[in-house]
Amino acid sequence: MEISAALVIVQKYGGTSVGTVDRIRNVARRVLATQRKGHDVVVVVSAMSGETNRLLGLAQQISPIPDERELDVVASTGEQVTVGLMALAIHAEGGKATSLLGHQVRILTDSAFARARIQDIDVQAIRKAFAAQKIAVIAGFQGVDKDGNITTLGRGGSDTSAVAVAAALKADSCEIYTDVDGVYTADPNVVRNARKIDRISYEEMLELASLGAKVLQIRSVEFGMKYQVPIHVRSSFNDHEGTWVVPEEKAMEAVLVAGVTATRDEAKITLSGVPDRPGVQAEVLRPLAEAGIVVDVIVQAHIQNGRTNLTFTLPSADLARAKDILLKQCAGICPPEQLKSEENLSKVSVVGVGMRSHAGVALKMFEILAKENIHVHLISTSEIKISCVIEGKYAELAVRALHDGFGLAAGA
Ligand code: ASP
Ligand code: MG
């Protein structure tokens, strides 16, 4: 008789997968089916779909810029509801389960409210649940700082909770259950013949996640890569194999471009006539960094007489604040009439480890965009991606053209 070894499996269910009581029951059954195969199971859940937005909206009604410590107290309650309901649903199906909030597991984070980073996870409470044949149902998105304050990990943070728990437990796999069948070569809502990717490297996934693919929170992929946790992104509505996010494999290099993405709502600021001296870039970016504003593509172009133009992109949502900060704190470097900004931009990108070993990918991208008459504002590249900032209204056209042009379509 062959006895298969018990595995430790972490399953994360997103908001739509736990969006109704019926769906919670459905998840409870799936989770129990996994446990009945002899495995130790952790379930990490998000808030019911729409709930986190509703909670943040309530806070916003009281204060347009709410105190982030209190905001986290409010936002984290969505997951408290789902872990309780999930444990009850597992009981109702005849199983054993215990719910655990962030502070009960002890998911220790720093104190950066609304965007906290996980520092350490105590696995004792989880192991205790396993020892009692219980499923550990853990609230995603939330943690606790060293002073006992409740923190949250940023939007989409339950993915990171799940992968971090999997890393701490040295789990055999981390399954991220969602409402799509996996990671696609492009957003299937934009590109009808987009294809599900079977296997993708952490690095490519990291680029895709940072460049607009919303299926996984970026930090979850960072965790996966750092601790080599295999991540399986799949649908909670069927049993199809999804996409495995894994260490790079030889075959991945043969593919020039793995995926095409677009980010929306980008803005750009140009400071013209900036004195061209060492340290000037830091003087401009420091106050923005201190305000937590993340700038992205940075381009500096020389003009005459020791002066230069500095352009960078940032999220549209931060534009007003960034301009205000620059006008107040960098007036000496850049008087108001020399600060220009533009909104409604999009960054379209092609990503693939194959471009490390193939020439001409950038050229091909520019040719494809040119053929559609799309004007490129800014360009940025890394070893495995090329991004072009374009006018937002052409984003979907660009994504479709690139997806076709690089032969990514299903059946191509
Ligand atoms: N409920 C949180 C959010 O909506 C976290 C998550 O779902 O991953 O962002
Ligand atoms: Mg998500």
Side-chain angles (χ1 to χ4, degrees):
M1 194 176 75
E2 191 187 321
I3 302 172
S4 60
L7 304 177
V8 175
I9 296 175
V10 176
Q11 298 187 333
K12 178 257 171 179
Y13 292 88
T16 43
S17 304
V18 295
T20 65
V21 166
D22 271 345
R23 288 184 175 179
I24 291 176
R25 282 203 193 96
N26 171 51
V27 170
R29 282 184 214 114
R30 294 187 80 114
V31 171
L32 272 170
T34 307
Q35 192 200 33
R36 287 188 184 127
K37 288 181 190 152
H39 306 315
D40 287 328
V41 187
V42 174
V43 193
V44 175
V45 286
S46 294
M48 295 167 84
S49 55
E51 185 59 13
T52 307
N53 286 342
R54 189 185 71 87
L55 293 166
L56 295 174
L58 290 175
Q60 200 104 50
Q61 280 177 46
I62 291 177
S63 152
I65 306 172
D67 176 85
E68 288 187 324
R69 179 189 181 278
E70 305 312 329
L71 194 61
D72 279 359
V73 171
V74 176
S76 62
T77 60
E79 276 73 10
Q80 175 160 350
V81 171
T82 38
V83 283
L85 293 176
M86 187 61 70
L88 289 172
I90 294 170
H91 297 168
E93 294 292 327
K96 292 203 272 183
T98 190
S99 64
L100 293 167
L101 299 176
H103 70 271
Q104 294 174 315
V105 177
R106 204 140 193 274
I107 297 180
L108 183 72
T109 71
D110 61 17
S111 304
F113 297 109
R115 61 187 77 81
R117 282 180 176 272
I118 296 176
Q119 293 174 330
D120 187 47
I121 295 183
D122 186 345
V123 293
Q124 262 188 68
I126 304 173
R127 295 250 182 248
K128 212 169 127 194
F130 288 168
Q133 266 82 56
K134 286 180 179 170
I135 291 167
V137 186
I138 298 179
F141 183 51
Q142 54 175 265
V144 63
D145 74 1
K146 64 176 190 332
D147 302 317
N149 297 303
I150 293 173
T151 56
T152 70
L153 310 179
R155 299 311 303 269
S158 298
D159 296 335
T160 302
S161 309
V163 179
V165 166
L169 285 170
K170 302 193 172 52
D172 296 279
S173 71
C174 181
E175 302 181 324
I176 305 282
Y177 284 93
T178 177
D179 51 0
V180 291
D181 276 349
V183 181
Y184 279 74
T185 48
D187 181 349
N189 297 315
V190 173
V191 181
R192 232 183 315 132
N193 54 10
R195 206 166 26 82
K196 191 194 79 199
I197 302 170
D198 292 332
R199 299 176 78 78
I200 191 168
S201 67
Y202 293 119
E203 247 187 296
E204 287 168 319
M205 193 62 234
L206 205 53
E207 291 281 13
L208 289 177
S210 7
L211 295 168
K214 286 182 211 76
V215 63
L216 284 176
Q217 200 198 32
I218 300 168
R219 280 187 196 162
S220 71
V221 187
E222 288 171 351
F223 255 99
M225 181 149 95
K226 185 160 171 204
Y227 297 100
Q228 303 277 296
V229 182
I231 303 172
H232 188 186
V233 183
R234 58 194 308 194
S235 167
S236 65
F237 301 123
N238 59 51
D239 287 319
H240 302 165
E241 273 288 290
T243 301
W244 282 92
V245 189
V246 291
E248 191 176 327
E249 296 161 355
K250 198 83 201 118
M252 292 172 181
E253 262 182 46
V255 184
L256 213 55
V257 166
V260 184
T261 57
T263 56
R264 267 149 238 288
D265 301 321
E266 303 250 2
K268 113 182 157 180
I269 291 181
T270 298
L271 305 176
S272 52
V274 173
D276 183 18
R277 56 173 158 76
V280 77
Q281 300 82 357
E283 284 171 53
V284 170
L285 297 181
R286 187 174 301 115
L288 299 180
E290 279 166 2
I293 295 173
V294 178
V295 308
D296 182 24
V297 182
I298 304 171
V299 173
Q300 181 179 314
H302 273 274
I303 54 165
Q304 279 120 21
N305 310 326
R307 294 190 174 258
T308 173
N309 286 353
L310 191 61
T311 300
F312 52 87
T313 63
L314 69 168
S316 272
D318 292 331
L319 180 62
R321 214 154 50 95
K323 285 205 291 200
D324 193 53
I325 290 170
L326 289 173
L327 292 175
K328 283 199 184 112
Q329 300 193 33
C330 296
I333 301 174
C334 175
E337 64 279 7
Q338 280 163 233
L339 185 155
K340 288 211 170 56
S341 65
E342 200 172 326
E343 280 184 90
N344 300 319
L345 300 174
S346 167
K347 187 172 65 173
V348 290
S349 311
V350 297
V351 173
V353 290
M355 63 181 82
R356 267 198 217 118
S357 46
H358 292 85
V361 180
L363 168 65
K364 188 161 174 179
M365 180 171 190
F366 301 141
E367 283 173 349
I368 293 167
L369 295 177
K371 214 161 117 203
E372 302 295 336
N373 247 316
I374 297 172
H375 181 81
V376 175
H377 289 239
L378 298 166
I379 300 161
S380 109
T381 66
S382 81
E383 220 189 354
I384 65 162
K385 74 118 204 265
I386 304 161
S387 300
C388 293
V389 176
I390 64 171
E391 246 181 279
K393 63 182 178 197
Y394 299 126
E396 299 198 346
L397 172 65
V399 168
R400 275 188 220 113
L402 291 166
H403 192 267
D404 267 6
F406 281 102
L408 293 181

